[in-house]
Structure formats: structure tokens, C-alpha cells
Amino acid sequence: MLDGAKAQETWLKTLKNLSSEFWKQDRKIYKFNSSETSGWTIGGYYRQTGNFTFISVSKSGHFMPADNYHASQAFLEDYIKYGILKCQDTETHCRVHQKMCKYMNEC
């Protein structure tokens, strides 16, 4: 009955092998640098633990690789090169929590 990225998160929370700590961790901003996109581009938001990664890509659906080709390519290149997604900007520029607290009067 639910559709979209929010429903996926709800469903994933029912899985027994994902700890509650996974959902408490800060979502990271996935930025990639591509000559085709002329500089740094936000490809989505992610959390990861071990070999599991949960990626949310705004304005994408089932056809994410076709709708957002350059982000898909960057994801695959990271998995091939590092085995995980890796923030390609400085670590502080990839954190959501710090920016969110700044805009919310320091939480």
C-alpha cells in the first residue's frame, strides 16, 4: 500500500539483520565530481554498514540508471574501486547532521 523511498525505509526497518544503530547514523550526502556534470553534483544520500548500503536518490524511481546516469556511474565506480560508497568531497561536506543542526539553531 505504500510507494516510494519512504516506504522502502519503513520496510527495511522490519529486517532483523539491520541494527537500530544503522538507522541512527547520520545520512551522508553522496557527491561526485564529473566532467559531464561540470563539477560537484549531489547524487543522493546514503547509509551503510558492512556490505549493505541504502541509497536514496531524489527524483528517481525504477529507472534510476537511465534517469540519473552520472550518479549511477559514480556509484558503480566506487563499488568497483573501494567496495563501498565513498564521499568524494571532504568528509565534513558529506554530513547532513551538522548542516541540519546549524539551520535548526544548533539543535
Side-chain angles (χ1 to χ4, degrees), residues 18-44:
L18 284 176
S19 72
S20 61
E21 294 302 313
F22 175 79
W23 299 106
K24 291 177 186 174
Q25 71 175 270
D26 189 16
R27 285 189 321 163
K28 293 183 180 93
I29 302 168
Y30 184 80
K31 292 183 180 181
F32 64 97
N33 195 358
S34 170
S35 59
E36 290 86 9
T37 59
S38 64
W40 290 106
T41 304
I42 295 176

Side-chain angles (χ1 to χ4, degrees), residues 4-68:
K6 205 60 177 164
Q8 295 300 315
E9 194 170 305
T10 302
W11 174 75
L12 283 169
K13 286 180 179 180
T14 66
L15 296 178
K16 302 295 183 205
N17 58 346
L18 284 176
S19 72
S20 61
E21 294 302 313
F22 175 79
W23 299 106
K24 291 177 186 174
Q25 71 175 270
D26 189 16
R27 285 189 321 163
K28 293 183 180 93
I29 302 168
Y30 184 80
K31 292 183 180 181
F32 64 97
N33 195 358
S34 170
S35 59
E36 290 86 9
T37 59
S38 64
W40 290 106
T41 304
I42 295 176
Y45 302 90
Y46 69 101
R47 290 182 175 110
Q48 56 192 7
T49 182
N51 65 354
F52 178 77
T53 304
F54 179 60
I55 308 169
S56 298
V57 180
S58 300
K59 299 181 183 170
S60 289
H62 294 72
F63 302 106
M64 189 267 182
D67 296 339
N68 202 335

